[in-house]
């Protein structure tokens, strides 16, 4: 028997994932809000009802990881929800609300065996000067630890507020891609945030200030569009060494 927690807004929890009622597991039902996180037991698997409110579900996923909780998260979705969810949510698995008892039981078994390993997590990316390994995103001397929610330059930690870190992480994860202020507001602050896009500008300024004069250019401004992360160019000596190596290999 596995200890399960179901977070939902539904007035009748039995309608969220009907198959759960047919399995022999303890299911604790909690409201779908941040206050419920402190009520979860340490060893539980969390089923998060994301059928009708993907924004709140995404916010809760972020809060869980920011709090250092290792609770495996299984999202309950409609089929339409699959177009939005990706590995950046940090979830262990997904299940559609109409899944059979056998499927739910099988997914529970797999989640229990592998812990909270995110679905389809990227293990390594060399895209545009960015390397992503085991939750560490490296771009030159900048290292962003998506698991520990810390960032450092030259090995020295950068003192970032939560949203500053989230903004930096999102930009670094998409090097060279331009985002409008509205897109960043939606992705970093969430669909339920009602502040204006001016908030993005303020956080960008703070981020640049904390990166310092030598690295503030990593967050570029695209006039009349928005912002993007520009990975540092190769060190001149490295580039010269590579050019020399290519020249020698081309000699006959």
């Amino acid at each position: 028997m596995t200890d399960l927690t179901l977070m939902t807004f539904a007035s009748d929890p039995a309608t969220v994932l009907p198959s759960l009622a047919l399995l022999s597991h303890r299911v604790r039902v909690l409201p779908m809000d941040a206050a419920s996180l402190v009520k979860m037991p340490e060893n539980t698997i969390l089923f998060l009802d994301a059928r009708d409110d993907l924004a709140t579900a995404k916010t809760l996923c972020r809060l869980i990881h920011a709090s250092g909780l290792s609770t495996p998260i299984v999202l309950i979705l409609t089929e339409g929800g699959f177009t939005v969810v990706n590995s950046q949510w940090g979830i262990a698995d997904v299940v559609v609300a109409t899944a059979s008892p056998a499927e739910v039981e099988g997914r529970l078994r797999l989640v229990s065996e592998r812990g909270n390993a995110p679905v389809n997590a990227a293990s390594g990316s060399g895209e545009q000067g960015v390397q992503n390994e085991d939750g560490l995103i490296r771009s030159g001397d900048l290292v962003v630890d998506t698991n520990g929610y810390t960032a450092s330059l030259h090995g020295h930690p950068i003192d970032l507020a939560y949203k500053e870190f989230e903004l930096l992480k999102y930009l670094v994860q998409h090097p060279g891609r331009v985002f409008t202020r509205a897109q960043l507001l939606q992705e970093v602050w969430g669909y339920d945030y009602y502040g204006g896009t001016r908030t993005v500008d303020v956080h960008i300024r703070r981020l640049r200030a904390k990166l310092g004069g030598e690295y503030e250019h990593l967050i570029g401004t695209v006039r009349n569009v928005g912002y993007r992360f520009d990975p540092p160019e190769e060190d001149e000596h490295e580039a010269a060494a590579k050019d020399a190596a290519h020249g020698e290999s081309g000699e006959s």
Side-chain angles (χ1 to χ4, degrees):
M1 183 180 292
T2 305
D3 187 280
L4 307 178
T5 299
L6 170 65
M7 281 193 190
T8 181
F9 288 130
S11 56
D12 183 3
T15 63
V16 179
L17 185 61
S19 291
L20 277 181
L22 303 176
L23 301 175
S24 58
H25 300 295
R26 294 184 299 270
V27 182
R28 178 183 297 96
V29 180
L30 294 173
M32 199 165 155
D33 56 42
S36 293
L37 298 182
V38 299
K39 301 175 184 177
M40 290 193 306
E42 189 171 336
N43 298 311
T44 189
I45 294 176
L46 174 62
F47 278 87
L48 204 53
D49 182 8
R51 299 171 304 157
D52 301 318
D53 195 339
L54 285 163
T56 297
K58 186 175 184 178
T59 299
L60 284 173
C61 287
R62 288 175 170 173
L63 284 174
I64 287 169
H65 292 295
S67 303
L69 298 173
S70 57
T71 307
I73 304 168
V74 179
L75 280 188
I76 304 172
L77 297 170
T78 60
E79 291 201 2
F82 281 93
T83 62
V84 176
V85 176
N86 56 41
S87 63
Q88 304 307 322
W89 288 50
I91 56 176
D93 209 341
V94 295
V95 63
V96 291
T98 55
S100 68
E103 179 179 345
V104 174
E105 185 67 34
R107 291 185 181 278
L108 273 173
R109 185 170 60 253
L110 291 172
V111 168
S112 298
E113 291 174 356
R114 69 175 176 245
N116 198 23
V119 178
N120 294 328
S123 59
S125 171
E127 180 185 11
Q128 298 192 37
V130 174
Q131 295 179 344
N132 187 349
E133 297 178 0
D134 298 326
L136 293 179
I137 304 175
R138 303 177 188 273
S139 184
D141 296 314
L142 175 66
V143 178
V144 178
D145 183 350
T146 61
N147 294 327
Y149 274 74
T150 59
S152 62
L153 262 175
H154 291 297
H156 300 294
I158 309 171
D159 184 18
L160 298 176
Y162 175 68
K163 285 301 182 186
E164 292 168 355
F165 175 84
E166 285 289 295
L167 180 57
L168 176 63
K169 180 182 74 171
Y170 190 76
L171 289 170
V172 171
Q173 286 173 329
H174 303 88
R177 181 175 168 185
V178 181
F179 293 97
T180 66
R181 291 166 178 81
Q183 285 174 318
L184 290 172
L185 199 65
Q186 174 180 298
E187 292 298 329
V188 177
W189 278 263
Y191 293 89
D192 53 348
Y193 183 77
Y194 295 103
T197 54
R198 182 69 176 162
T199 298
V200 177
D201 296 329
V202 171
H203 280 72
I204 289 289
R205 279 205 308 272
R206 290 176 183 168
L207 260 183
R208 285 172 172 162
K210 292 182 178 182
L211 289 172
E214 185 181 355
Y215 292 95
E216 63 180 2
H217 68 278
L218 295 180
I219 301 177
T221 299
V222 180
R223 190 174 178 82
N224 297 325
V225 182
Y227 300 103
R228 72 180 176 208
F229 179 75
D230 294 319
E233 296 179 0
E234 278 187 347
D235 180 89
E236 290 182 6
H237 297 294
E238 288 184 11
K242 286 185 178 179
D243 287 340
H246 285 307
E248 290 175 2
S249 63
E251 291 179 358
S252 55

